[in-house]
Amino acid sequence: MSFSGFIVQLLNGLASASSLFLVAAGLSLIFGVTRIVNFAHGSFFMVGVYIAYTLVEKLGGSLGFWPALLLAAVAVGVLGALIEVVLLRRIYKAPELFQLLATFALVLVIKDAVLWLWGPDELLGPRAPGLSGSVMILGRQFPSYDLFLIVVGPLVLGLVWMLLTRTRFGTLVRAATQDREMVSALGVNQAWLFTAVFALGALLAGLGGALQLPREPATLEMDLNTIGAAFVVVVVGGMGSIPGAYAAALLIAEIKAICIWLGVVDVFGISVSFSKLTLVVDFLVMAVVLVWRPWGLFGRPQAPSRYVGMQEEPLRRAGKAYVVAAAVFGLVLAAAPLLTADSPYTTVLMIDLLIAALFAASLHFIMGPAGMHSFGHAAYFGLGAYGAALLVRASGMPMELALVVAPLVAAIGAFVYGWFAVRLSGVYLAMLTLAFAQITWAITYQWDTFTGGSNGLTGVWPAEWLSDKRVYYWLTLALVALGVLGLRRVLFSPFGYALRAGRDSVLRADAIGIDVKRMQWVAFVIAGTAAGLAGALYAFSKGSISPESLSVGKSVDGLVMVLLGGIQTLAGPVVGAVTFTWLHDTVARNTDYWRAMLGAIILLLVLLFPQGIAGFAKQLSGRIRIRTRGARETARLEEVKA
């Protein structure tokens, strides 16, 4: 560690902050006006790099380099406008979470489109003409191009600030951020305003990607890696604040740079690798900021509302027909291994479907009835899975007892994380859960001596009497049924009614003496316990466990399952889990471009069933009932007249 190395690392942090700011600024603009949590924003960044690579090749690496970067950004902006007009404009009236589901489907489609156009190999662009060398700073070489990037960040910040404060378009954008309905009432064409903002946000992301061409190769992993960091910056800075996004990008990038500079340090005789913290330091910063200042550094606290969310019908107990149908379905599931004895893989797939159903039902428990959106629910699934694996391997605990204890490990995690999470709401709550999940993932990924690190743990097999997959399937079916029915039973208890009261109106619930935060905290623990049971069943079904079970992708899968089935119905998460898992398995086995096909199917389902598959079925059955009653009443009136 030297002073010159410290200064150079700080300059590296400034260069990284500029690139991160460009992506985060576009994401913040889009969310501020359209209220869409745009998962596809990282895809725009990735597409910007690939288009820039192609244009540089076509236009030449000398005179055509800089125009190629600008044209790539414009091309991404046009792509964003097309996506907004063709797809997102059709679903603005759908619940916000379904808009999130649509943007996630876009991630899958765009990733495979890039794979088809440019192939799976990394593409490294040329050096920037005129900035390919380096300069001496305190005796150390520093890339000239990075100095250029350091200037680009504040320059773009100034241009965006002038656009938002000195033009009519900026006035409309700021007004729409405060009150979209009022802007529409004043005669402003809201649709085209949304399109322009979305295109501008995509252009900034594309510019951020294009400027990375001389620094790093274009890869297919850039989308998800970038969107996670961009979300962190936007939330830490304050949703909708452009200066806040720049300040947050600076803060996070510089902390990462300092961690790299520190390297491995002995603290009281213990070697601490600060460089490894770069995997999770941004989420640590986000967790600390949100706990200390829930609305971000430059954000504004939201005023309490008398009503938050969409009006929902009260949950109704199952009728006799529903109970009979569920019982018949249960018998069919129990007989499934016998009916598919010639296809062992079907039994394995059925186990995966059941585990996914329990995981989705646990997430729905806090998203639907409790009204809390979680982007990090995989943390509890992974804690249950690792808890089961470690209990069996390290302590020699019988598998049967581990299935009981492992969910309690997940419950402890939910107990700790939930205490902080329930103090927030909306996107901030969701992002804090994501931060906790990423912190858990980073610890698991790097603790080689305990968790196996990136290799995970193997040899986690069930007891001998469960070695037959059919027997393990029946055990899984029984435990999943108990878990789902238990969650359902809680919702029809006094606790469940109080939980939904707090979701529908916090102020009214407080007025009648309900401790809303405590209710939500308990709901976190219950949901975490159920997710932990799903994780334990998963570990024993596969015989191994890896850090992927705690990754962002696993949490996103859970969100997709819940939203695909329908968040306003109790059957929705089960229907969504089965549909998504089956589609994922079927499509992946039949095409190399399975992501695009799966994304297209999800987009189609979102457009056709904006309330989810189960929600659509519920609406359809309600219409049929109303028509049947109307026909009966008409028949009775005719009989009376006769």
Side-chain angles (χ1 to χ4, degrees):
M1 293 186 294
S2 63
F3 178 73
S4 61
F6 176 71
I7 296 300
V8 168
Q9 285 300 334
L10 289 182
L11 291 175
N12 279 326
L14 287 174
S16 299
S18 291
S19 301
L20 191 54
F21 164 70
L22 291 176
V23 185
L27 183 63
S28 185
L29 278 173
I30 290 173
F31 177 83
V33 175
T34 67
R35 295 297 187 272
I36 289 181
V37 181
N38 183 22
F39 257 107
H41 204 67
S43 300
F44 295 147
F45 176 88
M46 177 181 69
V47 171
V49 181
Y50 278 96
I51 294 179
Y53 177 86
T54 300
L55 290 177
V56 168
E57 279 193 335
K58 299 294 184 182
L59 300 179
S62 54
L63 296 177
F65 181 85
W66 299 107
L69 300 191
L70 296 177
L71 288 174
V74 172
V76 175
V78 173
L79 174 64
L82 288 174
I83 289 175
E84 195 277 339
V85 172
V86 174
L87 174 64
L88 297 181
R89 186 175 292 183
R90 301 174 184 272
I91 58 174
Y92 277 134
K93 294 183 179 180
E96 292 180 1
L97 286 173
F98 283 94
Q99 298 168 0
L100 181 148
L101 179 59
T103 61
F104 169 73
L106 280 174
V107 172
L108 300 178
V109 174
I110 294 174
K111 184 184 285 287
D112 268 4
V114 171
L115 174 63
W116 179 67
L117 290 170
W118 284 281
D121 298 329
E122 295 183 352
L123 302 178
L124 182 61
R127 293 178 178 271
L131 297 174
S132 59
S134 60
V135 297
M136 293 294 295
I137 299 178
L138 299 177
R140 291 176 178 264
Q141 299 283 345
F142 189 79
S144 302
Y145 187 76
D146 283 8
L147 287 176
F148 166 73
L149 288 180
I150 292 174
V151 177
V152 167
L155 179 62
V156 174
L157 172 62
L159 292 175
V160 173
W161 181 82
M162 290 181 63
L163 177 67
L164 295 179
T165 58
R166 303 294 178 87
T167 65
R168 182 176 183 274
F169 172 76
T171 302
L172 294 177
V173 169
R174 288 185 287 116
T177 302
Q178 298 296 323
D179 194 331
R180 292 184 298 174
E181 287 72 20
M182 182 59 70
V183 171
S184 179
L186 292 174
V188 176
N189 190 325
Q190 194 178 60
W192 288 112
L193 177 64
F194 284 10
T195 303
V197 169
F198 203 91
L200 177 60
L203 184 147
L204 289 173
L207 179 61
L211 289 173
Q212 288 300 300
L213 185 63
R215 298 188 78 208
E216 60 179 309
T219 66
L220 293 172
E221 287 74 35
M222 297 180 91
D223 52 356
L224 292 181
N225 292 338
T226 302
I227 191 60
F231 272 137
V232 170
V233 169
V234 170
V235 171
V236 170
M239 301 294 288
S241 172
I242 302 300
Y246 185 72
L250 278 179
L251 175 65
I252 292 170
E254 294 297 359
I255 291 177
K256 281 189 174 183
I258 292 173
C259 287
I260 294 173
W261 174 70
L262 288 172
V264 180
V265 179
D266 287 334
V267 180
F268 301 109
I270 301 174
S271 295
V272 178
S273 178
F274 283 92
S275 57
K276 289 185 177 180
L277 285 177
T278 54
L279 286 174
V280 72
V281 69
D282 43 357
F283 292 97
L284 283 171
V285 171
M286 181 170 70
V288 171
V289 169
L290 289 183
V291 170
W292 164 60
R293 191 176 171 84
W295 48 88
L297 296 175
F298 286 73
R300 297 179 180 178
Q302 296 178 346
S305 174
R306 295 183 179 276
Y307 173 76
V308 177
M310 176 179 290
Q311 184 68 36
E312 296 185 15
E313 295 182 4
L315 296 178
R316 303 184 185 279
R317 295 185 180 275
K320 291 183 179 180
Y322 187 91
V323 173
V324 171
V328 172
F329 182 64
L331 291 175
V332 172
L333 288 177
L338 302 177
L339 300 175
T340 59
D342 296 334
S343 177
Y345 177 74
T346 302
T347 302
V348 175
L349 178 59
M350 291 292 291
I351 292 173
D352 291 343
L353 294 176
L354 290 172
I355 293 172
L358 180 58
F359 176 58
S362 66
L363 177 57
H364 173 267
F365 185 82
I366 57 175
M367 285 185 64
M372 298 181 290
H373 307 322
S374 174
F375 287 179
H377 202 63
Y380 317 121
F381 182 89
L383 286 173
Y386 270 96
L390 291 170
L391 287 170
V392 171
R393 284 171 52 97
S395 65
M397 181 180 291
M399 174 260 184
E400 296 85 353
L401 183 58
L403 272 178
V404 177
V405 178
L408 300 180
V409 176
I412 294 172
F415 180 85
V416 176
Y417 295 163
W419 188 85
F420 296 99
V422 298
R423 282 154 175 74
L424 306 180
S425 61
V427 176
Y428 293 106
L429 183 151
M431 295 307 297
L432 184 59
T433 61
L434 175 62
F436 286 140
Q438 282 300 99
I439 293 169
T440 308
W441 170 84
I443 294 173
T444 304
Y445 187 82
Q446 298 184 74
W447 199 352
D448 295 333
T449 57
F450 188 62
T451 64
S454 59
N455 295 322
L457 299 172
T458 58
V460 188
W461 298 110
E464 187 176 350
W465 64 279
L466 293 169
S467 57
D468 187 341
K469 278 295 181 183
R470 293 179 300 175
V471 180
Y472 190 81
Y473 167 82
W474 284 317
L475 173 67
T476 303
L477 175 61
L479 293 178
V480 168
L482 287 174
V484 173
L485 292 176
L487 292 173
R488 182 185 179 92
R489 178 67 186 87
V490 170
L491 293 179
F492 287 102
S493 67
F495 170 81
Y497 290 118
L499 191 65
R500 298 201 299 278
R503 174 203 64 188
D504 293 337
S505 178
V506 175
L507 295 179
R508 293 178 182 177
D510 283 336
I512 61 176
I514 296 176
D515 191 337
V516 176
K517 298 304 180 185
R518 180 177 296 179
M519 291 290 178
Q520 293 176 336
W521 190 15
V522 174
F524 250 94
V525 176
I526 294 173
T529 304
L533 175 59
L537 290 170
Y538 177 83
F540 289 120
S541 71
K542 301 302 180 184
S544 62
I545 190 66
S546 70
E548 290 183 2
S549 61
L550 299 103
S551 65
V552 176
K554 185 67 178 178
S555 295
V556 172
D557 286 349
L559 279 170
V560 173
M561 293 173 192
V562 172
L563 299 177
L564 196 58
I567 198 171
Q568 296 181 8
T569 60
L570 295 182
V574 177
V575 173
V578 172
T579 303
F580 178 76
T581 307
W582 177 79
L583 282 174
H584 189 288
D585 178 82
T586 303
V587 173
R589 285 189 290 112
N590 288 283
T591 176
D592 293 333
Y593 299 101
W594 61 269
R595 294 183 190 86
M597 185 173 292
L598 180 61
I601 293 172
I602 293 175
L603 284 174
L604 185 63
L605 291 174
V606 167
L607 293 174
L608 294 178
F609 312 123
Q611 299 300 323
I613 298 173
F616 173 78
K618 181 180 178 181
Q619 288 182 345
L620 185 61
S621 63
R623 292 173 185 172
I624 293 174
R625 262 192 247 112
I626 292 173
R627 290 178 181 177
T628 304
R629 289 176 184 173
R632 290 176 181 173
E633 292 296 330
T634 302
R636 288 176 184 174
L637 289 174
E638 290 179 354
E639 289 179 2
V640 171
K641 290 179 180 179

